Structure formats: structure tokens, C-alpha cells
Amino acid sequence: MKLPSTVVVETTEGSMKAAVSWNVKEASYKQSSTDAQKFTVSGTVTLPSGVDNDNKISLATSVEVSVNAYSAKVASAENNKITGIDVNGVYTTQTKISFTAVGAGMDNNSPKKGDTRYVPQSWTVINTNVWNAAPYTASFGLAQSGDYTLKVAFAQQQYDGSSWKATGTMDTRQVSFSIAKAKVTAPGTNLTPAANRKSSVKTGDNTPILPFVCILIIAAGAIGGVVFYKKKNKK
């Protein structure tokens, strides 16, 4: 309550400002009430330094106060949001999609009678899932490609002076998105290690091997003939 800290008093030297203390506690003001109020607040004046009250004039004073009715904070359904998922976003069958539902007025931590808010209640893609308390977040994945819509239902509540009560008013927000089939990367070719490969031993000479085999066979036959011939001569 913003009451004046000084009042004007008339002295023999003219008008002067004097401090005043207000007895707000004794007033009929009800701070918790949201209704219009009108009441009187009494106070006591403290004379400025150098001013004497020789005539014993009462230093009591009072002021009439009018308080307008409280204007309730009415949350707008337009401020209900779904965050964390892109509108018309494209995800894959391997994507884990996470999102958060943000209800209008949920940041009102000091509510007064008449205030309203929207509490996230449930969300649906294929099946409906219900939130019983904060945090209002969820994650899901889809195995089938196609077009989908995430819907979140918000329930309006009104503060009655002591607690939040459901009004029966609902609001729904939605986000459309698509699921594409995930691309599977083909595994790499499994090559046999070079150490295990079988191949002909190379000598560095490109001469065909078959003629050498024939020559060796002929040479062996010639040697056999020579030995046989020598043996016959000894007889």
C-alpha cells in the first residue's frame, strides 16, 4: 500500500512538511481480497525540528483509501505451445522424438483469486498418453513411415483463492510431421587377408615352365642312356 510519507502542516512560519507514520495494521484492509475496498487509515504526525506544539494541537491524522478490484490474470489459449518437435519436420524410423508441452499461465507462482492457467493433460500420436504431474515432456519413436500429427490437450484451471480448480474448458494444439524409412548402410566387402591368399610363386623370370620340364625329362633320359651304354661296354 503506497501511502504518503509526509503531510503538510500549518505553522506560524507558514506551511511545512512533516513526517507521518500510518497504522495500516489497524485498518480494515484485506490484502488477500480481490474485491474493491474502501477504508480509513489513521496516522501520527511528527513535527519538523524547531517546530513547537505550544497549543497542544492533535497530531493525529487519517486518510481515506480506495482499492480497485483485482484484475485477474487470464491466460490465453493462444500461448499454449509444443516445443522440441519441428512443424512439418521429417524424421526416420530410427529417430527418438522428444517434446515438451508448455501451458499458458503455468509460470504464475503467486496466483490470486480469478487467475487462470492451462495445464498439459494428455498427448496423442497413435495412442493417448496422460500426464499426472510435471514435467510435461515425452519421447516416442515410430516404426512405420508416413505422415503423423502430435496432439496435446490442455485443461484450463482457475484459482479460487486457495487452490486451482478445473473449469472444464479444453484447448488442443497440434504439430504435423513425417516419418521416413531409415536407410541401412551396406556392410563393407570382407576381403581375405593377403597373407591367406593362394597364388603361384613368381621368380621374376617370365619364361614358360613347361619347356623346362620337357628338357629336364629329355636330359634325364640321356643320362640314363649313357649309363646303360657304358655298362654294356664293360661286359
Side-chain angles (χ1 to χ4, degrees):
M1 189 182 302
K2 295 181 179 180
L3 297 176
S5 59
T6 61
V7 294
V8 177
V9 295
E10 296 295 332
T11 71
T12 56
E13 299 295 327
S15 298
M16 300 181 69
K17 287 185 177 181
V20 60
S21 58
W22 300 105
N23 189 7
V24 178
K25 291 183 179 180
E26 297 298 325
S28 60
Y29 173 60
K30 296 180 180 179
Q31 188 174 3
S32 60
S33 176
T34 56
D35 298 329
Q37 299 181 64
K38 183 177 287 188
F39 51 92
T40 300
V41 180
S42 60
T44 302
V45 176
T46 300
L47 295 176
S49 177
V51 176
D52 296 325
N53 188 11
D54 295 335
N55 295 327
K56 305 298 180 181
I57 297 174
S58 174
L59 298 179
T61 187
S62 63
V63 62
E64 293 291 329
V65 179
S66 294
V67 177
N68 295 327
Y70 171 72
S71 296
K73 297 178 181 178
V74 179
S76 173
E78 295 300 319
N79 293 326
N80 292 330
K81 301 176 184 177
I82 303 173
T83 64
I85 180 171
D86 297 330
V87 177
N88 297 322
V90 179
Y91 303 91
T92 73
T93 51
Q94 292 183 346
T95 303
K96 179 182 179 181
I97 303 173
S98 299
F99 70 94
T100 300
V102 181
M106 289 298 291
D107 56 350
N108 185 354
N109 297 318
S110 299
K112 291 185 177 181
K113 185 178 180 180
D115 289 356
T116 64
R117 68 179 185 180
Y118 282 89
V119 180
Q121 188 176 71
S122 63
W123 63 277
T124 304
V125 175
I126 296 177
N127 301 316
T128 298
N129 306 272
V130 177
W131 283 298
N132 294 316
Y136 302 105
T137 61
S139 299
F140 65 92
L142 295 168
Q144 296 294 327
S145 58
D147 296 327
Y148 295 89
T149 300
L150 166 64
K151 296 181 180 181
V152 175
F154 297 84
Q156 187 190 58
Q157 294 182 340
Q158 187 175 49
Y159 196 71
D160 65 1
S162 59
S163 62
W164 291 98
K165 302 293 184 182
T167 65
T169 299
M170 300 294 297
D171 178 64
T172 300
R173 298 287 137 175
Q174 62 184 42
V175 175
S176 297
F177 63 97
S178 299
I179 297 293
K181 188 174 182 180
K183 295 181 180 179
V184 179
T185 304
T189 305
N190 186 15
L191 299 177
T192 304
N196 295 333
R197 296 177 192 167
K198 294 182 179 180
S199 60
S200 301
V201 177
K202 294 184 178 181
T203 62
D205 188 352
N206 295 327
T207 305
I209 295 175
L210 183 59
F212 279 103
V213 174
C214 295
I215 294 172
L216 288 174
I217 293 173
I218 295 171
I223 294 171
V226 171
V227 172
F228 177 76
Y229 176 76
K230 286 184 177 181
K231 286 183 178 181
K232 287 184 67 176
N233 289 338
K234 288 181 180 181
K235 289 181 179 180

